[in-house]
Amino acid sequence: MSPEPLPPVAPEVLAEAVGQLTARLRKKLDAAVAECAGKALAGSGGSVEVRFGEDTLVILRPGPSGAVTEPGQAVCSCLLAPRCLHRAAVLGAAPLADADTVPPADPAAPEPSEGTPPPVTAPVTASSVPVTTEEARPSPTPAQVDAAAGLWLAAAEALAAGVTAGGTVVQAELLRAAHSARLAGLPRAEAAALRVVRGLRTARERHRGQRLSDLTAAFRTLLAGAAALASGAAGSEEVGSARRAYAEGGSLRVLGLCREPVLSATGYGGVTTHLLGPDGSLYTLSDVRPGGVSRAKGAGTASVALGGAVLDHAGLARGGLLIAGATVSADGRLGAGRGVRATPVRGADWSQEPVAAFFARPVREAVASSLDAAAAAPGDAGPALLGCDVEVLGAADDHLLARVLDGGPLVRLRVAHPHPELAHAENLRRIGGFPGIVLRVLGRPDPDRAATLRPLAVGPVPGASSSLRLPEEWRGHADLGYDRLQGDHFPRPEAGAAPGTPGPVGTDPLADAPLWRVRRLLETGVAGGRRAVAEAARGADRTALGVPLRRAGLAGAAELAEGLAAEADRRPRDSFGRLVDASPDAYARAWLASAVHLDAAERALVTASWS
């Protein structure tokens, strides 16, 4: 029989199973979890079985949702069950089930679960709809403050342990605190904790797609949110809502900008169509469900489930809708409630108003607004869309070099979605073969790289002779994730013209700044825990950390990094003079202060690189 994948397990079920183990069994848990790899087999009635030796069998019986959501759905045949190592190990080896913390407020509009990349839109739409009672929630209650304090402590202990020591026991404590946060009505805090646990698992399993910087950002988000909630001074943004709030938007006319494939590490796939309102507000309409890349590819031509509109996403991206009784969330998602009615209308070419005005905004102003909005937005929301006209200079390494027209900055165009089955990478390679071509580009600025844009769609620049020649039915733009550019879409090279070469790239303020030392220290802490930070900054290395930062005028970063190193190396003594482990609280606060400062400094440098 071939191995069977383990079903997802609710976080609270795993936390309870680990909590029942004795201290001796907890020390053996990580080794037992590793032993479960590839041992699961299909049982009777949809169950999954894992055998330990000849006499011990663990059986998981998922519920209707396909996940193990109750302790009774995981049983073991040994005498110590349910307080046994075998049962806890199998539950620890299973993937975490998605938290059902954000069910759709619109009954007809199913939404992706936590872990699915949310559609990224500018938050300007929040001002165009009335604020509901759901959105105007008060400050945290005493129960929420207590739950946040417990979540802070669990997160601080996980940070002090790092990836190397952040095994199943540490993860279970964080899951237990996350479940308490959920019961207290803090879904956003719970989601942040689950992202950290998934990041720890991915890092310990050394998956190819694992990025230490992502786990560092997840820890920063979790600790910052928990600290704000535990202080009692947090607002409704940190508290969050267990239901997505949709406000009445009345009549609304939206025009299609482009469609974007959506892929998730948790197996979801689909499409998001980006739309523009008459006042320049951005909206999205998404169709994201389980299915991975095949679902993402097929969803590009799936029907739009909104008010009976007879359009698919391909048609909507080049057309428009007149919506009666529209419902809009604070992040610009359009709802599909029973009272919503939508009528297809003619779309607008990118050279026509109001779409043309979106591309006429000064680039630096648009980037600053996009990155600041992303920093203020909760959860995983990324930068808003940005439109500009560029001249492609040529290919360089894994990206294209381009210059924003009318004296703009030199920028790098990088693939938005690198999956080989999507069209992004192939289209960007074709564009790189035509240096000198001018394009109208719609994409997202990369918040982690200097002057970098990740294009989602391209179109011809009005009036330019050396630009794209797209079919009339494409209505002036190509969606890089779905449409495939061909040779006849590009201008014919002039006779005798030689291919151009990219000019000098110039300095990269983010790479040239010594902030990389702070970033490395923070990531060292995430990877190796508190002791790794102490070792990395001990002795002569402590001076090497602060001096370059102060020479570059980054005295604040130097002070915070040195404070973090000092706190990591602090070892208090008890009343008998014996060394004891320091509380993780002060260390977590020092790490968080440095991480928040670094995030703000890097964001400022990225914004400046667009000048």
Side-chain angles (χ1 to χ4, degrees), residues 106 108 248-254 285 304-311 320-327 334-345:
D106 252 347
E248 296 295 333
S251 296
L252 181 64
R253 183 187 180 98
V254 292
L285 191 61
V304 172
L306 182 67
V310 287
L311 272 179
L321 288 175
L322 180 61
I323 308 173
T327 57
L334 295 176
R338 295 178 181 176
V340 178
R341 295 292 180 267
T343 304
V345 296

Side-chain angles (χ1 to χ4, degrees), residues 237-526:
E237 294 81 7
E238 289 82 5
V239 172
S241 171
R243 296 182 63 86
R244 181 174 299 277
Y246 283 85
E248 296 295 333
S251 296
L252 181 64
R253 183 187 180 98
V254 292
L255 300 173
L257 284 176
C258 74
R259 56 196 164 135
E260 173 190 9
V262 176
L263 284 176
S264 163
T266 55
Y268 283 81
V271 63
T272 290
T273 298
H274 298 273
L275 307 161
L276 187 72
D279 60 349
S281 300
L282 290 169
Y283 300 89
T284 58
L285 191 61
S286 299
D287 181 3
V288 181
R289 300 176 187 176
V293 68
S294 60
R295 178 71 174 76
K297 293 169 63 178
T301 54
S303 299
V304 172
L306 182 67
V310 287
L311 272 179
D312 58 20
H313 281 271
L316 179 58
R318 294 181 167 94
L321 288 175
L322 180 61
I323 308 173
T327 57
V328 187
S329 71
D331 62 357
R333 294 197 195 189
L334 295 176
R338 295 178 181 176
V340 178
R341 295 292 180 267
T343 304
V345 296
R346 181 176 176 82
D349 190 279
W350 279 9
S351 61
Q352 299 173 336
E353 298 297 343
V355 182
F358 183 79
F359 291 91
R361 189 178 182 187
V363 172
R364 191 179 190 281
E365 175 187 329
V367 169
S369 175
S370 175
L371 296 181
D372 289 345
D380 291 331
L385 296 184
L386 166 72
C388 61
D389 296 341
V390 304
E391 178 188 2
V392 176
L393 303 180
D397 297 328
D398 60 346
H399 60 273
L400 303 184
L401 287 177
R403 185 173 297 280
V404 178
L405 297 183
D406 299 327
L410 187 71
V411 300
R412 299 162 180 83
L413 304 181
R414 293 184 179 272
V415 176
H417 297 282
H419 198 286
E421 293 190 41
L422 299 178
H424 288 280
E426 179 185 345
N427 282 330
L428 216 59
R429 281 195 299 269
R430 283 189 174 272
I431 293 172
F434 292 83
I437 190 173
V438 292
L439 302 172
R440 177 157 285 183
V441 181
L442 179 69
R444 291 195 190 92
D446 191 325
D448 300 322
R449 298 177 184 268
T452 299
L453 185 66
R454 297 190 178 270
L456 300 179
V458 295
V461 175
S465 59
S466 180
S467 193
L468 290 174
R469 301 174 180 178
L470 301 179
E472 183 178 352
E473 60 269 21
W474 286 13
R475 297 209 48 87
H477 75 268
D479 298 330
L480 295 180
Y482 291 103
D483 301 320
R484 294 189 181 271
L485 296 172
Q486 305 297 330
D488 57 353
H489 296 155
F490 293 91
R492 294 183 177 87
E494 298 180 4
T501 57
V505 177
T507 60
D508 184 340
L510 193 61
D512 294 343
L515 286 172
W516 63 267
R517 300 173 185 273
V518 182
R519 190 185 317 113
R520 185 174 65 181
L521 186 68
L522 294 171
E523 292 180 354
T524 297
V526 171

